[in-house]
Amino acid sequence: MKVIGKKSVAAGLKFLINAAWYIQMAAFSLALCVLVYVSIKSDFIGSDIPVKLREHQTIKGIVSNSADLWDAQLKLSEGVLHVKTKLSWSMILLMLGQFACIAALSLTVTYLLRKIFATLTGSDGSPFIPENAARLRKIAILIILLAPLKFVNNFYNFWLITTSFRSKENNFTPDLKLDFQTVLIGLVLLVIAEIFRMGTQMREENELTV
Amino acid sequence: MPILVNLDLLLVKRKMSLTELSERVNLTMSNLSILKQGKAKAIRFSTLEAICRALDCKPGDLLDYEPDTEELKKVG
């Protein structure tokens, strides 16, 4: 099986990444429109917050002591707490900020991947160029940045639940997930990027050895 | 790089063209150009031996060392 070059695995992946690029652009544009529409038209927004469920799977009621929350429903099968939160300007800004960060990160990673895969299927077919090493490094840093972004969201949900809800039977607790996996993947990619950079240096030296 | 390659000087002294040297040492013109222009990062002993044999010279005639003034300033 041919991995790099024309009609190879890399060529197939290149097609998928190019498709993902356009799908992402369309999806983010649509999501932005929906977000803006909801912000203007609606007074509340619904969201699912992951929670840890205790042994007792029955719940008599959830009491909220926050005026910002309209409704809450514990979905036992999915392990999430569905809440309807009153939309305020600070919340809209928070959502837009988070959306902008996620969109920018995702689009940049896909853009960099497109550039890398373009060098894998070209006529010279040589990926060992300094630009690719720099691109891999940028992807690694962006993936590492994704983890704190997720954590901010989880922390906000944690704060929302701990300050606004108490269950009568106390059978759920907020799930403050720390995304170590993403950081780990980012760090591994950072090391691979460094190996790649050394590889490009070795290639350059080899080419300039007479 | 503080290592200088005096290939062009030796070629003039021996009245030899780069093409002729390329044929004698069995090296491509592009590789010899890299060496002549001082762009080379390394030279194999086998290449050095072939060039010295073809030009009837010592490695010291081909290569020279001139300390980098900026590097010397950094060292102090």
Side-chain angles (χ1 to χ4, degrees), chain B residues 5-63:
Chain B
V5 182
N6 298 320
L7 187 63
D8 43 358
L9 200 71
L10 279 169
L11 284 170
V12 172
K13 275 186 188 172
R14 303 288 185 267
K15 291 174 184 167
M16 196 186 286
S17 70
L18 201 65
T19 319
E20 194 183 341
L21 181 68
S22 152
E23 283 163 6
R24 282 198 190 190
V25 297
N26 202 20
L27 267 178
T28 60
M29 280 289 285
S30 61
N31 268 348
L32 273 180
S33 293
I34 287 170
L35 189 64
K36 197 181 152 202
Q37 288 165 18
K39 286 181 182 172
K41 290 211 172 185
I43 181 166
R44 291 187 189 91
F45 279 157
S46 56
T47 310
L48 194 60
E49 185 195 339
I51 293 173
C52 285
R53 194 188 302 128
L55 295 175
D56 190 27
C57 66
K58 301 250 188 248
D61 299 328
L62 185 68
L63 304 172

Side-chain angles (χ1 to χ4, degrees), chain A residues 158-197:
Chain A
F158 182 85
W159 170 81
L160 190 76
I161 291 180
T162 48
T163 56
S164 309
F165 289 110
R166 60 192 164 83
S167 164
K168 276 181 181 171
E169 291 186 342
N170 197 24
N171 54 5
F172 73 92
T173 50
D175 197 0
L176 186 63
K177 280 181 188 167
L178 292 169
D179 198 359
F180 287 115
Q181 270 183 335
T182 312
V183 176
L184 209 64
I185 290 168
L187 288 174
V188 168
L189 205 60
L190 203 64
V191 173
I192 292 171
E194 186 58 21
I195 294 168
F196 207 85
R197 194 187 62 78

Side-chain angles (χ1 to χ4, degrees), chain A residues 6-24:
Chain A
K6 284 176 182 172
K7 291 179 183 174
S8 64
V9 177
L13 284 173
K14 185 189 166 187
F15 175 77
L16 286 178
I17 290 166
N18 280 341
W21 168 256
Y22 293 109
I23 291 167
Q24 263 184 336

Side-chain angles (χ1 to χ4, degrees), chain A residues 127-147:
Chain A
F128 283 101
I129 51 170
E131 289 85 358
N132 273 357
R135 283 169 194 148
L136 266 180
R137 194 180 157 77
K138 281 177 195 165
I139 290 173
I141 292 167
L142 289 173
I143 286 175
I144 292 169
L145 282 177
L146 204 62

Side-chain angles (χ1 to χ4, degrees), chain A residues 89-162:
Chain A
W89 276 110
S90 59
M91 192 159 187
I92 292 169
L93 283 177
L94 189 81
M95 280 193 312
L96 283 174
Q98 200 182 14
F99 176 82
C101 287
I102 290 171
L105 281 179
S106 311
L107 286 172
T108 313
V109 168
T110 316
Y111 174 78
L112 291 169
L113 279 174
R114 281 184 80 197
K115 289 274 179 186
I116 290 174
F117 274 83
T119 62
L120 298 181
T121 50
S123 53
D124 55 341
S126 177
F128 283 101
I129 51 170
E131 289 85 358
N132 273 357
R135 283 169 194 148
L136 266 180
R137 194 180 157 77
K138 281 177 195 165
I139 290 173
I141 292 167
L142 289 173
I143 286 175
I144 292 169
L145 282 177
L146 204 62
L149 200 68
K150 277 185 186 173
F151 181 74
V152 168
N153 185 39
N154 290 344
F155 190 80
Y156 174 76
N157 288 337
F158 182 85
W159 170 81
L160 190 76
I161 291 180
T162 48

